Amino acid sequence: MISTQIKDDRTIICLEPNRSATWLQTRNMILALTGFMLLIGVGWLIAGVWMILPFVLLDICVFSYFFYRVCRETYRRQLITVEKSKVIFRSGIHRFGSSKTFSRPCYLLIHKRLARVHLDTFSISDDYETERIGSFLNEDDLSTLRDQLTACGLIELDHQWWKREPSHY
């Protein structure tokens, strides 16, 4: 999801992944699945097959960990502030970390997809540093991001500009 604010002489673009469930909803799903799996494990324990219970507990730990990690990543944000003389990039989960400042002219590097199922990826770069942006966005949001950054004056470049496009005969 992309939100844009224009204040004075700067444009602020906030990038967030599309979130299908909040942390509360994810936690409730973890608890429901844990209860269901424990019910099955205890049922097998009562039936005399005690070897099932450690695997049920291992399964609960593994899926809880991955549910947590996926939900945590949906709270990742990137903030791009475009000014006349510089572009400031900040990212973080729940709060922003340190910032990177790119001097103008600044470039929007486009990394072409490696296969049909992959999306193009973008980076912001100046003559000294490069930072990958929007890796968690869907195709529509990436297109919107590209349009907004080029409208702000970033120069669009192909990451491998020296390679020719393969001809498809």
Side-chain angles (χ1 to χ4, degrees), residues 121-138:
T121 56
F122 300 135
S123 297
I124 293 179
S125 177
D126 61 3
D127 294 332
Y128 306 106
E129 289 188 86
T130 301
E131 184 68 39
R132 188 147 303 197
I133 59 170
S135 59
F136 46 78
L137 296 176
N138 62 26

Side-chain angles (χ1 to χ4, degrees), residues 136-148:
F136 46 78
L137 296 176
N138 62 26
E139 192 170 11
D140 293 336
D141 288 343
L142 283 173
S143 176
T144 303
L145 175 64
R146 182 181 193 173
D147 293 342
Q148 288 184 355

Side-chain angles (χ1 to χ4, degrees), residues 13-48:
I13 303 170
C14 183
L15 311 175
E16 294 179 309
N18 294 325
R19 186 178 309 122
S20 60
T22 64
W23 168 240
L24 180 63
Q25 293 168 330
T26 303
R27 190 183 66 192
N28 290 339
M29 180 59 77
I30 291 171
L31 291 174
L33 287 173
T34 298
F36 178 70
M37 292 173 73
L38 280 176
L39 183 67
I40 291 173
V42 169
W44 281 107
L45 181 66
I46 291 171

Side-chain angles (χ1 to χ4, degrees), residues 8-146:
D8 302 328
D9 288 341
R10 61 185 170 158
T11 302
I12 302 169
I13 303 170
C14 183
L15 311 175
E16 294 179 309
N18 294 325
R19 186 178 309 122
S20 60
T22 64
W23 168 240
L24 180 63
Q25 293 168 330
T26 303
R27 190 183 66 192
N28 290 339
M29 180 59 77
I30 291 171
L31 291 174
L33 287 173
T34 298
F36 178 70
M37 292 173 73
L38 280 176
L39 183 67
I40 291 173
V42 169
W44 281 107
L45 181 66
I46 291 171
V49 187
W50 62 271
M51 287 296 292
I52 297 290
L53 195 58
F55 291 104
V56 168
L57 295 176
L58 179 65
D59 193 28
I60 289 170
C61 290
V62 168
F63 87 77
S64 296
Y65 170 75
F66 284 111
F67 266 51
Y68 168 75
R69 287 294 305 262
V70 168
C71 184
R72 184 175 184 267
E73 286 299 314
T74 63
Y75 285 91
R76 177 172 301 282
R77 293 187 304 165
Q78 293 179 340
L79 193 69
I80 303 168
T81 306
V82 181
E83 298 177 3
K84 279 188 175 185
S85 61
K86 61 186 174 184
V87 175
I88 303 169
F89 173 80
R90 298 183 77 185
S91 74
I93 298 175
H94 298 300
R95 61 185 127 109
F96 293 114
S98 61
S99 65
K100 273 192 176 179
T101 303
F102 300 95
S103 59
R104 297 297 286 267
C106 200
Y107 310 101
L108 174 63
L109 296 178
I110 300 170
H111 307 271
K112 295 294 183 189
R113 61 180 78 192
L114 301 173
R116 287 185 179 180
V117 295
H118 295 156
L119 296 175
D120 291 342
T121 56
F122 300 135
S123 297
I124 293 179
S125 177
D126 61 3
D127 294 332
Y128 306 106
E129 289 188 86
T130 301
E131 184 68 39
R132 188 147 303 197
I133 59 170
S135 59
F136 46 78
L137 296 176
N138 62 26
E139 192 170 11
D140 293 336
D141 288 343
L142 283 173
S143 176
T144 303
L145 175 64
R146 182 181 193 173

